[in-house]
Amino acid sequence: GTVAPGLSTGSTAAGTLTANGNVMLTDSTSMFSIRLAVVSGTDNDQLTIGNGGTISLNGATLHLTLGAALNNPANLDTLYVIISGGAADTGPGFSNTFAQGSSITTPGGYKFNILYASNAAGTGAGSDVVLELTAVPEPGTWAMIVSGFAMLIGIRRWRGRRVEA
């Protein structure tokens, strides 16, 4: 099955799902779906483990959906807590491939480190699973060409006005 905290019909805001006990995503058909930067660059969906429960992620697939707010680097957060509590002993991690400190690169070029058994600040021991944004994609080739062309037009206009005066 799929666990998608915060994703409800018609909702565009990030949300939290609280599980009052253990959560097990332990086979290849399990998917954990999280949205980052849904409305602002600092919000995201989150699974909270309550009442002393634990979470097991062995074999699950992590699916990230990136919101449009990620396109404004000035508003970005660098740490996104995707699981709060219960993750002090998660096992090897999603799909047995995302080990502590390994990175995930999204199709848009954003790169995240995954931190297990971390605290919400991404430093030291804790019981959270945190995604740390480490790289924002550089502008595409066409964006650079258009920017350069706009600068050339601006310089030419400026020079033309100086000659007329």
Side-chain angles (χ1 to χ4, degrees):
T2 299
V3 175
L7 187 59
S8 63
T9 305
S11 173
T12 57
T16 299
L17 173 65
T18 300
N20 291 314
N22 299 334
V23 175
M24 296 177 59
L25 301 170
T26 56
D27 64 42
S28 61
T29 62
S30 300
M31 181 179 293
F32 186 56
S33 182
I34 292 291
R35 297 174 303 156
L36 302 177
V38 178
V39 176
S40 72
T42 59
D43 66 350
N44 64 281
D45 292 336
Q46 186 178 102
L47 174 64
T48 299
I49 308 297
N51 291 336
T54 61
I55 185 161
S56 177
L57 302 172
N58 299 331
T61 300
L62 175 61
H63 178 260
L64 294 178
T65 301
L66 306 180
L70 271 174
N71 294 328
N72 185 352
N75 296 329
L76 290 183
D77 198 352
T78 56
L79 296 174
Y80 296 92
V81 177
I82 60 172
I83 300 174
S84 177
D89 185 21
T90 58
F94 295 107
S95 300
N96 296 319
T97 58
F98 298 117
Q100 168 73 10
S102 66
S103 63
I104 303 166
T105 302
T106 66
Y110 294 89
K111 184 177 176 183
F112 296 90
N113 285 340
I114 188 162
L115 307 172
Y116 293 101
S118 181
N119 61 28
T123 60
S127 60
D128 300 329
V129 176
V130 177
L131 292 179
E132 176 184 38
L133 179 62
T134 59
V136 177
E138 294 197 21
T141 304
W142 286 106
M144 295 297 286
I145 290 171
V146 169
S147 297
F149 188 65
M151 284 178 45
L152 289 173
I153 289 173
I155 290 170
R156 188 168 184 128
R157 285 184 148 193
W158 179 74
R159 284 185 179 167
R161 287 184 186 155
R162 278 186 51 201
V163 170
E164 292 173 10

